[in-house]
Amino acid sequence: MGEASREIMRKARQQVPEWTPSQVKQALDQQSGSNEQEIVLVDVREKHEWNEGHIPGAIHVPRGFLELQIEEAVPDKSKTVVLYCAGGVRSLMAGSTLQQMGYRNAISMSGGFGQWKNSGLPFVQPRLMTDAQARRYSRHMLIPEVGEAGQFKLLDSKVLLIGAGGLGSPAAYYLAAAGVGTIGIIDADVVDDSNLQRQILHNTSRIGEYKAESARETIEALNPDVKVVTYIERLDETNVARIIADYDLIIDGTDNFPTRYLLNDAAIIANKPVIHGSVFRFEGQLTVFKPYEGPCYRCLYPEPPPMALAPSCAEAGVLGVLPGIIGILQATEAIKLLLNIGEPLVGRMMTYDALAGEFSELRLYRDPHCPACGENAHPEDLPTYADVCAL
Ligand SMILES: [Zn+2]
């Protein structure tokens, strides 16, 4: 260290109080029981140093970005900000910068992370993305509401799609692109040429293949991070509880009423959110059924409509792009729920009229007498509607 640096250090030492690692540990332990976080621990080292290990609960603001990022990371300038680096020099300088910026209680940890570690104090090694993942998800990482932590959450998430058809196709495609780590697909059908006008997971060469297998091929080609679990069976009362148990949430892409009721009741018993979507000609709708926080499907429709009033897609027709829009909105709601961000469509039905080019929203309310989620309800005893119309 040259003469001038020594002088800067000497001045910084006069201005910035220093705590030893054990003093820092003690102060952190004291506040760990209370809700008030008076002390904020800031690691000012470079990213590669942070990646090799850091103190639990610390936030990372590299020295080079300190002036730019600290006010966002620690908006309250009256907090005690304990800074640390590798050996206690950079943190001392950083402390003097924070004082100039108006932070009243900036403290530098003497000896830095090196001494903390050598004293046998606890540290964590952060989970690392591969370089390929860092590049693939870079646009997520740039969004503060997602970031690296959110991307890891998505990679650890499990979403089940009921149906790899019109709604399931775009939903699964975008969830896979987003890096949702496990995607379950239940579908017993095979690809038919009349599906290809909207079911974009499949293609002409896959006609006759199981949709679930075709979906797996498409998803694996898009993103090798995603594990696809296929169920080539129909959802029924014998398998529904077992299949949904493994997932964080369910995207309902069915076009028939029996499955909707079956799924609704099972999801309430298992306490899993269902993202419901449906399409009809030029109109689509979606909502989130989150058990006990908003209404369920039976709160809205206690019993299925008579067959004559319930045409399926095959009978009614649908504009091919419409399930694309609704399916992507379902994927969007899934990501919001998985990351716990924004306002999910719980208790709100969003409708889209493609011809008018209009979205609108209806408020939905829980029915206290709902046979599935109301007081005194017994969802396990409710009838299924397998015989109402043909699956
Ligand atoms: Zn209900």
Side-chain angles (χ1 to χ4, degrees), residues 264 268 294-300 365-367 369-374:
N264 181 71
I268 284 170
C296 77
Y297 192 70
R298 277 193 203 260
C299 287
L300 313 181
Y365 299 95
R366 278 185 74 186
D367 175 2
H369 306 296
C370 169
C373 78

Side-chain angles (χ1 to χ4, degrees), residues 92-139:
L92 204 56
M93 313 275 212
S96 122
T97 305
L98 288 202
Q99 286 182 344
Q100 286 166 29
M101 293 178 73
Y103 287 86
R104 295 194 281 284
N105 302 304
I107 288 158
S108 166
M109 188 174 85
S110 59
F113 183 67
Q115 196 178 319
W116 174 280
K117 213 169 139 182
N118 290 340
S119 314
L121 295 171
F123 66 96
V124 285
Q125 259 173 309
R127 186 174 168 190
L128 292 183
M129 277 191 191
T130 62
D131 290 345
Q133 287 176 323
R135 286 193 300 274
R136 180 180 289 267
Y137 306 117
S138 63
R139 300 306 188 275

Side-chain angles (χ1 to χ4, degrees), residues 31 45 88 101 108 128 154 187 209 228 348 367 386 388 390:
Q31 78 163 5
R45 297 173 302 159
M101 293 178 73
S108 166
L128 292 183
L154 293 178
D187 200 312
E209 258 185 58
V228 182
R348 296 151 65 199
D367 175 2
V388 171

Side-chain angles (χ1 to χ4, degrees), residues 222-284:
L222 171 64
N223 189 348
D225 286 342
V226 181
K227 180 182 160 202
V228 182
V229 183
T230 55
Y231 305 87
I232 301 176
E233 51 194 308
R234 289 193 188 281
L235 204 63
D236 62 30
E237 56 268 46
T238 68
N239 62 17
V240 63
R242 167 178 58 85
I243 292 174
I244 69 174
D246 287 339
Y247 294 90
D248 300 312
L249 58 85
I250 301 147
I251 292 190
D252 177 9
T254 54
D255 61 355
N256 67 79
F257 290 93
T259 310
R260 272 184 206 151
Y261 285 95
L262 178 77
L263 178 63
N264 181 71
D265 302 345
I268 284 170
I269 294 166
N271 201 7
K272 310 266 180 189
V274 174
I275 302 170
H276 166 84
S278 66
V279 290
F280 176 81
R281 293 187 179 160
F282 298 101
E283 285 164 36

